[in-house]
Amino acid sequence: MLRLEHIFKTYYVGDETVHALDDASLHIKPNEFVAICGPSGSGKTTLMNVMGCLDLPDSGSYVLDGVDIAECTDKELSLIRSEKIGFVFQQFNLLDSMSALENVELPLIYQRHSQRERIERAKLALDQVGLGNRMQHRPSQLSGGQQQRVAIARALASNSRVILADEPTGNLDSKSGNDIMRLIDKLSEQNYTIVLITHNDDVARLAQRIVYVRDGRLFDTLEEADAV
Amino acid sequence: MTMFFNSLRLAIRSTLANKMRSFLTMLGIIIGVMSVIVLVSLAQSTTSSITSAISSMGSDLLTVTVTDEDLTLDADDYLDLEQYDSIAGVAPYLTVSSTARSGSNYTSVSAIGITGEYMDIAGLDLESGRAIVESDLDWRTYTAVIGTGVAGDLFESYDVIGQTFTMSGHTFTIVGLLSETGSDTDTQILVPLTTAQRISDSTAITTAYVRAASTNEVDLAQALTEYKMLQLTQDEDSYTVYNMSELLETMDDVMSTLSLMLGGIAAISLLVGGIGIMNIMLVSVAERTREIGIRKAIGARRSHILMQFLIEACVLSILGGLIGLGLSALGLRIFTIVADMTIAIEWRAAIVALLFCVVIGVAFGSYPAAKASKLTPIEALQRN
Ligand SMILES: Nc1ncnc2c1ncn2[C@@H]1O[C@H](COP(=O)(O)OP(=O)(O)OP(=O)(O)O)[C@@H](O)[C@H]1O
Ligand SMILES: [Mg+2]
C-alpha cells in the first residue's frame, strides 16, 4: 500500500542542518495497523507529512497504492489527499466557523458529491464515531475528545483507505485518549490501513507492528533503535 | 458548478461573519458607485432639461446679438430681413434689468421690450389675457405680459389680469400671463418695445430673434442674416448670429465631456475602493492560512482555494456596488423631493459602475487569492 525507499528530508536553519528523515525506508501492507514511535524531534511528523503527500522528500521514492508520488503534479497530489488519505492531527485541525457536520462534509465537497449525498455520508460518519447527537455543534462547543472524534469522522467520510494519525491522543486526557484509541482499534478491523504516530508505548502496543524512529532513521525493533 | 455555489455560500458567510469589517471594506466601493451614479445622473438630468428648454424654442430659430456698443441699430434695421422668403419673421427685442414692486412685494426681473410678433417667434404661449399688440407699441402703453414666477412673487396668485405693479418709476397694468415653461421666461416681464426704449432711455437694439421659414432653410436664413448684419455694421466682429441647433450641439458636447469627467473622478474613487478590498483580502489570507492548510490537507486543489478567495472579493465588491446603487436611488429620490427637481437615475452609468465593481473584485482579489492558493499544505498548516 505504502512503500517508502531511502527517503531523505533535511532542514537547514541558519548554519544548523537537521536530518529530519535520514535514509528512511518503510513498507506498509494494505489493512496493516502500524505505530510509529520515537522521542520528540525524531522525525515522526515529517514522516507522516511525506506519507500524506503534504510535503515532498528531498530524495528517495514513495509509491502510494501503485502511484509514484515524485511524478505527480500539484493537482494529482490534491486528488490523492482527497481520495486516498484521511488525516487525524494532534491539534484536531477542524474549522472553527463550521458545525461538526459541515466539517465532516468538507472533504466530500472537494470530491464533488451532491449536497444530499454529502449530508448523508457525513451523518453516517458522525454516527460511527458516536457523535450523531452533536452534529450542529461548533468545534468550540465540543470537548477535546469529541473534536478528535469529529476529525476521525471527517477522515472516514472521505472513504479514504489510509488513515494517518499524528499523536491523536496527545492533546487529550487519558480517558478521552482511551476512547479515541478504542475507536482507532475498531477501525483497524474494518480494512483501513492505519499509521499511528505516538510516543506512548501503551498506545503503540495496540498496533500490529511498531516502527521506531531515532534522529530520522527507522528501526524495526527497540533494541536496534536504542543501540544508536 | 457545485463547487462554485459552495464557494459562494462560504464567501457570503464569511462576509456576514465579519459585518463591520466587510462594511468598512465596501465603503470605498459604496462611495465610488454612489458618486458615479449620482454625478452622472445629475449631469444628464440638467442637460436634458436645458436641451428641452432650448429645443422647445425650435431648431429653426436664429439669435442675433450685436456686441459693439457704439452701434445704434433700430428695430427697422432688423425688420428689413423679413423681405426674404426664407425668413418667416423677425423679432427685435430689448432687455432691461429692473425690479418690479407691488405693495410690499418686489422681485428682480428681466423686462423684455418686444414687438407684436415676438411671442410667436420665440414660441411663447399665453395662459390668460392678451398679448402685446402693435397699438401698444404705437401708444407706448405701460402694459405688461408677465411670467408665472413673477405673478407668484408679486401677487401670490395667477389671477393677475388687470392688476398693476411699478417698475422703473412707472405703473404697469398686466394684460396677460405667460404659460409656465420651467425656464427663464417664467421670471420675465414682456412690455412694448417702445416703452422699454423709453424707460431704458436708449433706442439702440442689440438683440433679435430670426425665425427661418422652415427647418431646411435655416442655413440660408443664417447666411442672409449674417450678410445683412455685415451690411449694417461693416464689421464682422461686432455681431454674432447663433443657430439654436448649433447651440444645442455645443451644449451636448460640453455636457457629455462634463459627465465623462465626473465619471472619471468617480471611477478613481472606485479604484481606491478596490485597493481597500485587496488590503482586506490579504489580511484575510494571512488570518486564514491555517484554514487553507486544512482545506488543502483534505483535498482542496489550488483552483479551489483560488476560487474561494476570488469569489469572496467579488462578493464584497458586488455587494458594495449594490448598496451604493440602492443609496444613490434613495439619494436622488430625496433630492427630487427637497429640490423639487426630477433627477432620473442614469441606468447606463449604474450598469457601468456595477460591471466596474465586478472587474475590481476580480482584479484586486486575484493577487491575494493567488497568494493563498500557492501556499503548500505544510507551509499553511505549520503557520499559526
Ligand atoms: N519546517 C521546519 N523547518 C526546520 N526544521 C524543521 C521543520 N520541521 C521540522 N523540523 C525539524 O525536523 C526534526 C523532526 O521534526 P518532527 O516534527 O518530524 O519531529 P517529531 O518526531 O514529530 O516530534 P514531536 O514528537 O515533538 O512532534 C526536528 O528536529 C525539527 O526541529
Ligand atoms: Mg510531531
Side-chain angles (χ1 to χ4, degrees):
Chain A
M1 193 74 185
L2 293 84
R3 186 183 288 275
L4 296 102
E5 309 267 15
H6 310 295
I7 299 283
F8 288 84
K9 182 82 189 176
T10 312
Y11 291 111
Y12 303 95
V13 178
D15 18 279
E16 265 183 71
T17 308
V18 181
H19 298 284
L21 288 177
D22 188 0
D23 198 10
S25 296
L26 179 61
H27 181 197
I28 297 174
K29 292 192 281 293
N31 302 339
E32 207 174 0
F33 179 6
V34 178
I36 312 272
C37 263
S40 183
S42 56
K44 304 184 296 293
T45 298
T46 309
L47 181 65
M48 188 190 90
N49 290 340
V50 169
M51 287 197 286
C53 301
L54 292 174
D55 208 359
L56 293 173
D58 295 336
S59 66
S61 99
Y62 173 32
V63 177
L64 170 68
D65 205 9
V67 179
D68 185 355
I69 297 307
E71 310 267 285
C72 286
T73 62
D74 191 71
K75 195 167 152 182
E76 286 164 339
L77 289 179
S78 300
L79 205 66
I80 290 171
R81 287 196 295 270
S82 171
E83 294 180 344
K84 302 207 166 161
I85 298 165
F87 291 97
V88 179
F89 298 97
Q90 181 174 353
Q91 312 88 331
F92 320 136
N93 277 348
L94 300 173
L95 295 185
D96 296 325
S97 60
M98 294 184 166
S99 69
L101 187 68
E102 288 169 313
N103 265 290
V104 178
E105 259 186 77
L106 209 54
L108 301 174
I109 289 181
Y110 296 120
Q111 290 178 359
R112 296 171 173 277
H113 291 291
S114 72
Q115 186 172 18
R116 220 187 50 211
E117 188 178 351
R118 290 201 310 259
I119 292 179
E120 217 165 89
R121 276 168 65 173
K123 281 183 174 166
L124 205 70
L126 279 168
D127 276 336
Q128 230 178 316
V129 298
L131 281 179
N133 54 351
R134 293 283 190 281
M135 309 223 205
Q136 297 309 328
H137 287 233
R138 297 275 172 100
S140 58
Q141 297 163 334
L142 294 170
S143 74
Q146 288 170 330
Q147 288 184 57
Q148 194 59 297
R149 278 190 274 164
V150 173
I152 293 173
R154 182 175 64 185
L156 297 181
S158 72
N159 244 349
S160 306
R161 297 332 297 178
V162 179
I163 306 258
L164 301 178
D166 188 358
E167 302 196 37
T169 60
N171 276 359
L172 301 176
D173 60 86
S174 60
K175 183 179 171 307
S176 320
N178 286 340
D179 288 348
I180 293 297
M181 280 323 300
R182 259 201 298 281
L183 194 58
I184 290 176
D185 197 32
K186 213 166 74 191
L187 292 177
S188 74
E189 289 156 18
Q190 296 171 15
N191 84 39
Y192 284 99
T193 307
I194 298 176
V195 180
L196 171 73
I197 290 174
T198 181
H199 44 218
N200 182 331
D201 291 340
D202 292 336
V203 168
R205 236 164 267 135
L206 282 172
Q208 295 158 4
R209 176 154 75 97
I210 300 177
V211 174
Y212 299 90
V213 191
R214 295 289 184 276
D215 294 333
R217 300 175 65 189
L218 306 187
F219 301 95
D220 286 332
T221 62
L222 194 55
E223 293 72 37
E224 282 177 290
D226 286 342
V228 177
Chain B
M1 214 53 202
T2 7
M3 208 57 232
F4 175 81
F5 283 117
N6 276 312
S7 305
L8 189 64
R9 213 161 45 109
L10 206 72
I12 290 171
R13 213 155 108 173
S14 89
T15 308
L16 293 180
N18 287 305
K19 282 194 195 65
M20 193 59 194
R21 194 176 80 178
S22 304
F23 176 72
L24 288 176
T25 313
M26 287 187 296
L27 205 58
I29 296 283
I30 293 174
I31 292 173
V33 166
M34 269 184 73
S35 42
V36 170
I37 296 177
V38 170
L39 289 179
V40 174
S41 298
L42 274 175
Q44 288 293 340
S45 296
T46 318
T47 321
S48 58
S49 80
I50 294 176
T51 348
S52 73
I54 293 177
S55 54
S56 75
M57 300 177 82
S59 54
D60 50 359
L61 196 67
L62 304 172
T63 57
V64 181
T65 310
V66 173
T67 47
D68 185 344
E69 287 173 6
D70 296 334
L71 285 167
T72 52
L73 302 180
D74 63 20
D76 288 335
D77 290 327
Y78 297 97
L79 289 171
D80 229 17
L81 282 165
E82 287 186 336
Q83 62 179 297
Y84 301 112
D85 289 342
S86 59
I87 290 175
V90 179
Y93 64 93
L94 179 66
T95 306
V96 184
S97 296
S98 187
T99 304
R101 292 173 194 280
S102 167
S104 57
N105 294 338
Y106 61 93
T107 179
S108 35
V109 293
S110 294
I112 318 261
I114 64 166
T115 60
E117 287 182 293
Y118 177 91
M119 283 184 50
D120 257 359
I121 290 173
L124 296 177
D125 294 318
L126 281 172
E127 177 71 35
S128 59
R130 66 169 180 86
I132 304 284
V133 295
E134 283 309 314
S135 60
D136 290 318
L137 274 88
D138 293 344
W139 295 101
R140 301 190 183 181
T141 55
Y142 290 99
T143 48
V145 172
I146 66 173
T148 50
V150 181
D153 286 345
L154 293 184
F155 304 104
E156 286 143 18
S157 137
Y158 286 176
D159 187 17
V160 292
I161 309 298
Q163 301 267 30
T164 59
F165 64 91
T166 58
M167 179 169 72
S168 304
H170 297 277
T171 302
F172 286 78
T173 306
I174 299 169
V175 296
L177 178 70
L178 289 171
S179 298
E180 186 161 344
T181 59
S183 65
D184 55 357
T185 61
D186 288 347
T187 58
Q188 288 176 353
I189 292 180
L190 307 182
V191 298
L193 179 60
T194 47
T195 312
Q197 283 172 319
R198 178 181 281 174
I199 60 177
S200 68
D201 212 7
S202 119
T203 49
I205 294 176
T206 55
T207 48
Y209 285 132
V210 176
R211 189 176 289 280
S214 74
T215 326
N216 298 335
E217 288 164 284
V218 174
D219 289 341
L220 181 56
Q222 184 165 10
L224 288 169
T225 307
E226 276 170 356
Y227 173 70
K228 178 74 187 172
M229 291 310 293
L230 185 59
Q231 265 189 339
L232 288 171
T233 61
Q234 301 294 330
D235 175 8
E236 62 176 281
D237 290 332
S238 62
Y239 62 90
T240 53
V241 179
Y242 281 120
N243 175 335
M244 276 300 167
S245 55
E246 248 174 42
L247 206 64
L248 265 180
E249 274 168 35
T250 321
M251 171 83 203
D252 266 359
D253 281 356
V254 171
M255 287 317 272
S256 59
T257 314
L258 194 69
S259 351
L260 219 65
M261 239 168 64
L262 290 176
I265 293 170
I268 291 173
S269 64
L270 269 180
L271 210 67
V272 174
I275 293 170
I277 286 191
M278 173 146 83
N279 193 19
I280 276 307
M281 291 312 295
L282 283 172
V283 171
S284 178
V285 167
E287 263 179 9
R288 285 152 64 186
T289 312
R290 195 173 174 76
E291 174 185 333
I292 294 168
I294 295 172
R295 286 175 179 276
K296 286 207 155 184
I298 61 176
R301 289 184 202 163
R302 212 173 261 190
S303 59
H304 295 149
I305 304 291
L306 188 76
M307 185 139 86
Q308 184 187 333
F309 282 89
L310 212 51
I311 289 180
E312 196 170 321
C314 287
V315 164
L316 275 178
S317 57
I318 293 172
L319 208 61
L322 288 176
I323 292 176
L325 177 62
L327 288 179
S328 320
L330 195 73
L332 289 177
R333 170 54 41 94
I334 289 171
F335 191 88
T336 303
I337 293 167
V338 171
D340 195 23
M341 184 176 165
T342 322
I343 309 283
I345 198 158
E346 173 57 28
W347 284 106
R348 271 174 310 172
I351 290 166
V352 168
L354 286 183
L355 284 179
F356 205 68
C357 282
V358 181
V359 172
I360 280 181
V362 174
F364 289 95
S366 46
Y367 172 64
K371 202 174 148 174
S373 72
K374 280 192 188 125
L375 289 169
T376 72
I378 202 67
E379 263 176 352
L381 270 176
Q382 282 177 349
R383 212 176 296 168
N384 279 318

